[in-house]
Amino acid sequence: MIRRHITALRLSLIALDAASALGVFIVVSLFRFGPSWQLAWARTGVALMPAMALWAVVWVGMLWLRGLYRLRARWSVKADILDLIHATILVAVVLFSGLFVLKLPTVSRLFLIELLAAQVAFDAVLRIAIRLAFSTARARGRNTRYLLIVGTTPLGQRFADLVEQHVELGLVVRGHLAGPTETAFTPTRPVLGTLADAEDVLHGHVIDEIAICLPKEDGDWVEPITRLCQSEGKFVRIPLAEPGLSLEGARAETFEGLTLLSLVYGPDRIVALIAKRLLDVAGASLALAVLSPLLLGVALVISITDGRPILFRQRRIGLHGRSFEVYKFRSMVRDAESRLGDLLERNEVSGQAFKLKDDPRISGVGRWLRRTSLDELPQLINVLRGEMSLVGPRPPLPREVQGYDVWHRRRLSMKPGITGLWQVSARNDDEFNRWVAIDLDYIDRWSLWLDFKIMARTLPAMLTGR
């Protein structure tokens, strides 16, 4: 799972470095040759696009060889700049040697010197900016995953310290669970309870991952803890003071001299997950732009027929228990929430959800909004904020989550969506357990292709009022 976090960082850095290499090449060409820089390159006899692509590949490849995409024990500005300088020297040797061997006197050596100087300067600034962005995001609680250390051992303390030293991983340690035989060591982070409180702690805090750092005397707890995490879709890692232990289904990794056994319970195709997020941002941005006249029209209709507020805001539970405020067009009367208690006995759903087909709280225009699902469109804002996805399980209410069985909670292991497999296949089903089963089936079978298929089925369902 360290691999999972560092892969996202590597891919982001590689993409940024490749893009910066292309951008710097263009800027230096403009500076050196003026507005007709493309014609100047044509006169050299060197094809421009392959030259730009080759420059980006050589630059990124040299940074890779210099270890600038590796997880580092001490990620410092000084170390980054020194490695960038070393990479630049190596790239210069490769480029000038290549020009000599290929006999390309038409390529300006002065241009290459300016290109190398500009590239190293830009990348140094870029990495400083990335460090500041990581620190700012972490301080604001964004792009952060929370880790619970099971055990109050020196190994647990060491692992927690190492994890938080690597700010690029985006992991924050919530605290520890104390084992029954641990009395001689007091960790520097809060002890949230004992192993017997594991389920309550997982449900009372936002916990994404768990590290089991128990002494041998408490080894019998490893299986029930991992089984609980499997039921809830949480990732587990087991740091080993000494290599040798094996665990069925575990992936062995190394981190700062420690061997880790990583158990992945949930979607872990990191490249596909990054693509899913990019698709969310692009899709939500495009939808908001294209549908803005419709959104304004719906807002105007609500304002005229039912007054303000136009938007309805409600607290929902997202990924691994994160609380957020979901946005919808208001489709009910203003005091709908206060009247819910009078209607609970008429609930048509069996389980931890509420649904009433002829809900008296729904306004006239609200029935049309719900039939066409137009009331859901403001959730595109939640998608841009990173709280929701275009496709995913339905975001539940806090009171629903409080009544969940353990196996229900695994539906929180993936970011909730505006639409999902349940919405397009069994929206009228009145059995909550079947809703959850469909959501879990989506999580287990998740792929970008499945998301595309669900989105393709969503639009016709909206247009036909299904």
Side-chain angles (χ1 to χ4, degrees), residues 37-57:
W37 64 278
Q38 292 170 303
L39 293 175
W41 272 102
R43 288 193 292 268
T44 67
V46 177
L48 177 58
M49 297 306 294
M52 292 174 61
L54 179 62
W55 165 248
V57 169

Side-chain angles (χ1 to χ4, degrees), residues 35-290:
S36 58
W37 64 278
Q38 292 170 303
L39 293 175
W41 272 102
R43 288 193 292 268
T44 67
V46 177
L48 177 58
M49 297 306 294
M52 292 174 61
L54 179 62
W55 165 248
V57 169
V58 170
W59 179 251
V60 170
M62 200 59 70
L63 296 186
W64 182 284
L65 291 176
R66 285 300 306 166
L68 280 153
Y69 302 121
R70 288 201 306 264
L71 185 68
R72 298 172 171 220
R74 292 175 179 82
W75 190 25
S76 67
V77 173
K78 181 180 179 181
D80 269 359
I81 291 176
L82 287 175
D83 280 333
L84 283 171
I85 292 173
H86 291 159
T88 304
I89 294 171
L90 292 174
V91 170
V93 172
V94 170
L95 287 180
F96 286 108
S97 299
L99 292 177
F100 177 77
V101 172
L102 296 175
K103 295 181 172 59
L104 294 173
T106 55
V107 177
S108 170
R109 272 54 174 176
L110 183 57
F111 165 81
L112 292 178
I113 293 173
E114 292 171 348
L115 178 63
L116 290 166
Q119 190 69 65
V120 69
F122 183 85
D123 270 29
V125 173
L126 180 64
R127 274 167 167 68
I128 293 172
I130 290 172
R131 288 172 60 83
L132 290 174
F134 271 120
S135 300
T136 302
R138 182 168 173 178
R140 295 178 178 177
R142 300 186 64 85
N143 298 321
T144 297
R145 292 178 66 85
Y146 294 98
L147 176 68
L148 176 67
I149 305 292
V150 178
T152 53
T153 59
L155 176 62
Q157 176 74 47
R158 177 188 172 195
F159 184 70
D161 291 341
L162 288 173
V163 163
E164 291 202 329
Q165 285 173 12
H166 286 282
V167 65
E168 66 273 23
L169 294 178
L171 286 168
V172 174
V173 178
R174 280 287 194 194
H176 296 255
L177 286 182
T181 64
E182 301 171 2
T183 57
F185 182 81
T186 302
T188 58
R189 294 170 180 84
V191 177
L192 304 178
T194 66
L195 293 179
D197 305 317
E199 188 171 326
D200 292 336
V201 171
L202 291 183
H203 298 174
H205 299 79
V206 176
I207 304 293
D208 299 288
E209 305 183 10
I210 292 175
I212 301 177
C213 305
L214 292 170
K216 292 181 179 179
E217 295 80 6
D218 295 335
D220 291 343
W221 283 90
V222 174
E223 183 181 353
I225 292 293
T226 55
R227 192 164 57 244
L228 175 63
C229 293
Q230 182 179 18
S231 299
E232 301 199 8
K234 299 186 187 296
F235 292 0
V236 177
R237 59 173 124 234
I238 305 176
L240 305 177
E242 299 177 0
L245 176 66
S246 62
L247 198 61
E248 184 178 358
R251 180 173 61 217
E253 302 178 274
T254 58
F255 174 59
E256 292 293 337
L258 290 175
T259 298
L260 299 180
L261 297 181
S262 297
L263 294 163
V264 179
Y265 300 125
D268 190 46
R269 297 185 292 278
I270 186 60
V271 176
L273 287 170
I274 293 173
K276 179 178 173 70
R277 178 57 186 155
L278 293 175
L279 177 65
D280 285 341
V281 173
S285 300
L286 179 62
L288 284 171
V290 172

Side-chain angles (χ1 to χ4, degrees), residues 385-407:
R385 289 163 58 97
E387 298 156 340
M388 294 181 65
S389 176
L390 292 176
V391 182
R394 166 185 168 272
L397 293 162
R399 64 171 178 270
E400 295 173 359
V401 174
Q402 289 174 2
Y404 274 6
D405 293 335
V406 171
W407 73 278

Side-chain angles (χ1 to χ4, degrees), residues 264-458:
V264 179
Y265 300 125
D268 190 46
R269 297 185 292 278
I270 186 60
V271 176
L273 287 170
I274 293 173
K276 179 178 173 70
R277 178 57 186 155
L278 293 175
L279 177 65
D280 285 341
V281 173
S285 300
L286 179 62
L288 284 171
V290 172
L291 298 176
S292 56
L294 176 61
L295 296 172
L296 290 173
V298 171
L300 184 61
V301 169
I302 295 174
S303 179
I304 293 173
T305 60
D306 204 34
R308 295 176 179 274
I310 293 170
L311 289 179
F312 173 67
R313 304 182 182 190
Q314 189 177 51
R315 187 61 52 183
R316 295 293 180 104
I317 302 299
L319 182 66
H320 290 300
R322 287 169 172 81
S323 177
F324 70 98
E325 198 171 58
V326 73
Y327 300 101
K328 291 187 177 186
F329 281 125
R330 184 168 64 86
S331 60
M332 287 187 170
V333 296
R334 295 181 185 84
D335 60 344
E337 290 291 289
S338 62
R339 293 169 57 181
L340 176 62
D342 299 331
L343 301 172
L344 289 176
E345 61 182 17
R346 297 169 56 186
N347 187 12
E348 297 172 356
V349 176
S350 174
Q352 301 302 323
F354 177 82
K355 186 177 181 181
L356 186 59
K357 184 179 295 184
D358 296 319
D359 195 324
R361 301 172 299 163
I362 301 177
S363 64
V365 69
R367 295 189 184 280
W368 172 71
L369 290 174
R370 289 194 169 198
R371 188 168 59 252
T372 58
S373 296
L374 291 177
D375 62 319
E376 309 281 355
L377 289 180
Q379 291 171 38
L380 292 167
I381 298 172
N382 292 112
V383 174
L384 288 180
R385 289 163 58 97
E387 298 156 340
M388 294 181 65
S389 176
L390 292 176
V391 182
R394 166 185 168 272
L397 293 162
R399 64 171 178 270
E400 295 173 359
V401 174
Q402 289 174 2
Y404 274 6
D405 293 335
V406 171
W407 73 278
H408 292 155
R409 296 186 68 90
R410 192 159 70 87
R411 72 198 302 257
L412 302 177
S413 65
M414 198 159 193
K415 197 175 291 185
I418 296 178
T419 186
L421 188 59
W422 165 75
Q423 287 92 326
V424 298
S425 61
R427 187 170 182 175
N428 294 321
D429 197 319
D430 59 1
E431 177 58 51
F432 176 71
N433 283 343
R434 282 198 290 269
W435 294 6
V436 177
I438 292 171
D439 282 338
L440 297 186
D441 179 49
Y442 166 77
I443 292 171
D444 292 336
R445 295 193 297 119
W446 175 77
S447 67
L448 286 175
W449 178 239
L450 179 58
D451 277 2
F452 282 122
K453 289 196 292 185
I454 291 172
M455 285 189 284
R457 293 174 60 184
T458 297

